Amino acid sequence: MNLARLRGPGVFAVVAVLALVVAPLVLEPFRLGLLAKYLCFAIIALGIGLAWGQGGMLVLGQGVFFGLGGYAMAMHLKLVDAQGDLPDFMVWSGVEQLPALWKPFANPVLALAMVVVGPMLIATVLGLLVFRQRVRGAYFAILTQALAAAFVILLVGQQGLTGGTNGLTNFYDLFGQDLAADSTQRGLYFVVAVVTGLLYLGARQLVGSRFGRLLVAIRDGEDRVRFLGYDPARVKTVVFAISAGMAGLAGALFVPVVGIISPALLGVVPSLELVVAVAVGGRFALAGAILGAVVMGYAKTSFSEQFADGWLYLQGALFILVMTLAPKGILGLAASARDALARRSKRPTAPESPHTDDAPSRRVMEEVG
C-alpha cells in the first residue's frame, strides 16, 4: 500500500472498520467502554477544532455545554429510576417536592431535544452579545473560561437540585435497557462511534463549503472580511453554536457510558485539557481534533494505571514533546512525512484540503469574495 496516496475517504473507511468491526472484537467490555468515553471527548474536541482550528475562536469553556447536555440526560435517567416521586439524592438532601425545573425532563423526547437545543441556544445568545462587540482572541478565551468556572460554582451550590459536588450518578435503566449489561454498553459504544463518524462527516462537509471558506477567511483576517461586506459576528455565532451543540450531545452520550456527571468533569481544567488534546492532534484538521482526544484520553488512562504518582507529569511531558517536535500536531507531522514520501517517489501530491494547513488568507478571500 502506498501510504502517500492513502488519504481522505480511504483513511475514513479504514478508521471506520477499525472502530466498528475490529475494536468490539478485540477489546474486553471495560476497555471498549473506555474507548467509548474517549470518543465522547472526541466529539467535544471536534467542535473545538471547528471553532478554534477553522474559525480562530479559542474556546476554553466547552465544559459548560458538555455539562448542560450531560445533566439534561442525567435528569431524565434519574426520574426514570426514581422509586417514588423524587430521585434518591433529593430524598437524602431533604427535598420534599420535585422542583419545577426537573418536571419537563420526565419526557424523553424533551430531554433529548434539550441535550442539543439548550447548549445551542445559550451559545447563540452569548455569541450575539460577544461577537457583535468584536470581542475576540484572549478576551473571548478568558470569557468562556470564566463562564465554565461560574457554572461549576452554580452546580456545587445547588445540592438539592443538581446533587452538588457529587453530581448525578447511579443510573440503572436506559430506555428500557439494563445499563449494567455488557450488551447495553456494547450497543452504546456503537452509538457513540457512529455519532462521532457522522458528526465528523458533517463538519468536514461544512468546512469544505463556501461557508467554511468564509470561516477560515475570518480566522485569517476578520477585518478584511468585514470590509468585503460579510458579517463575521453572524458566522462566528453559528459555528460557536454548532460546537456547543456537539459538546451537549457528547455530554448526553457520556452519562450512560460512564455512569456519572459531576462538576469535576465540567470546570476550567477539563475544558483546558480538551483544548490541549486538539492542539496535540492538530487543530487545523478536523481529524486531528478527534485523534488528539483519543490519544490524550488513552495516555491519561495508561499513565494513571502504570504511574499512579507521576502520571500528570508524563501527560504534560507528552504535550510538550508533541508541540516541540510537531507544532501543527500529530497530523501535521504525518502530513510532512507523507509529503516526504511523495517527493521520494517523485510523485508529488497536493495538500488534502486548504483547511489542513495555514492557507494564505488572500487565497481564501478570493474564493469567498
Side-chain angles (χ1 to χ4, degrees), residues 37-122:
K37 182 176 75 170
Y38 304 155
L39 290 179
C40 290
F41 291 143
I43 294 174
I44 312 174
L46 181 62
I48 295 175
L50 190 62
W52 181 34
Q54 306 301 318
M57 295 172 282
L58 180 55
V59 286
L60 300 181
Q62 290 301 89
V64 173
F65 307 117
F66 175 76
L68 289 172
Y71 271 91
M73 174 61 76
M75 289 163 70
H76 172 70
L77 296 181
K78 293 302 290 184
L79 289 174
V80 171
D81 292 336
Q83 298 297 326
D85 296 331
L86 298 176
D88 50 10
F89 79 93
M90 289 188 182
V91 176
W92 304 333
S93 301
V95 177
E96 298 180 354
Q97 186 177 3
L98 186 68
L101 178 64
W102 275 69
K103 293 180 180 179
F105 290 92
N107 186 319
V109 176
L110 178 61
L112 290 176
M114 288 303 297
V115 160
V116 176
V117 174
M120 292 188 72
L121 282 176
I122 293 177

Side-chain angles (χ1 to χ4, degrees), residues 38-261:
Y38 304 155
L39 290 179
C40 290
F41 291 143
I43 294 174
I44 312 174
L46 181 62
I48 295 175
L50 190 62
W52 181 34
Q54 306 301 318
M57 295 172 282
L58 180 55
V59 286
L60 300 181
Q62 290 301 89
V64 173
F65 307 117
F66 175 76
L68 289 172
Y71 271 91
M73 174 61 76
M75 289 163 70
H76 172 70
L77 296 181
K78 293 302 290 184
L79 289 174
V80 171
D81 292 336
Q83 298 297 326
D85 296 331
L86 298 176
D88 50 10
F89 79 93
M90 289 188 182
V91 176
W92 304 333
S93 301
V95 177
E96 298 180 354
Q97 186 177 3
L98 186 68
L101 178 64
W102 275 69
K103 293 180 180 179
F105 290 92
N107 186 319
V109 176
L110 178 61
L112 290 176
M114 288 303 297
V115 160
V116 176
V117 174
M120 292 188 72
L121 282 176
I122 293 177
T124 299
V125 173
L126 181 63
L128 290 174
L129 292 175
V130 171
F131 295 133
R132 291 196 180 280
Q133 298 299 319
R134 302 187 184 181
V135 176
R136 54 188 175 183
Y139 299 102
F140 176 72
I142 293 173
L143 177 64
T144 56
Q145 189 178 51
L147 183 65
F151 184 58
V152 169
I153 294 173
L154 176 64
L155 292 175
V156 171
Q158 301 295 321
Q159 174 68 37
L161 189 65
T162 65
T165 305
N166 297 325
L168 303 179
T169 186
N170 296 329
F171 309 113
Y172 305 104
D173 182 273
L174 177 66
F175 304 122
Q177 302 297 316
D178 181 11
L179 262 179
D182 289 343
S183 59
T184 303
Q185 289 298 317
R186 187 177 295 272
L188 277 172
Y189 167 76
F190 280 111
V191 171
V192 174
V194 170
V195 168
T196 304
L198 291 177
L199 288 176
Y200 168 73
L201 291 176
R204 185 182 174 89
Q205 185 70 23
L206 178 66
V207 169
S209 67
R210 189 170 183 271
F211 181 88
R213 294 194 294 272
L214 180 59
L215 180 64
V216 174
I218 292 173
R219 179 195 70 189
D220 294 339
E222 182 174 334
D223 291 334
R224 282 181 284 179
V225 172
R226 184 177 292 107
F227 293 151
L228 288 173
Y230 294 97
D231 184 4
R234 184 178 302 173
V235 176
K236 292 167 73 173
T237 298
V238 169
V239 174
F240 185 46
I242 292 174
S243 69
M246 288 184 178
L249 182 57
L253 294 171
F254 180 90
V255 167
V257 167
V258 180
I260 187 174
I261 187 73

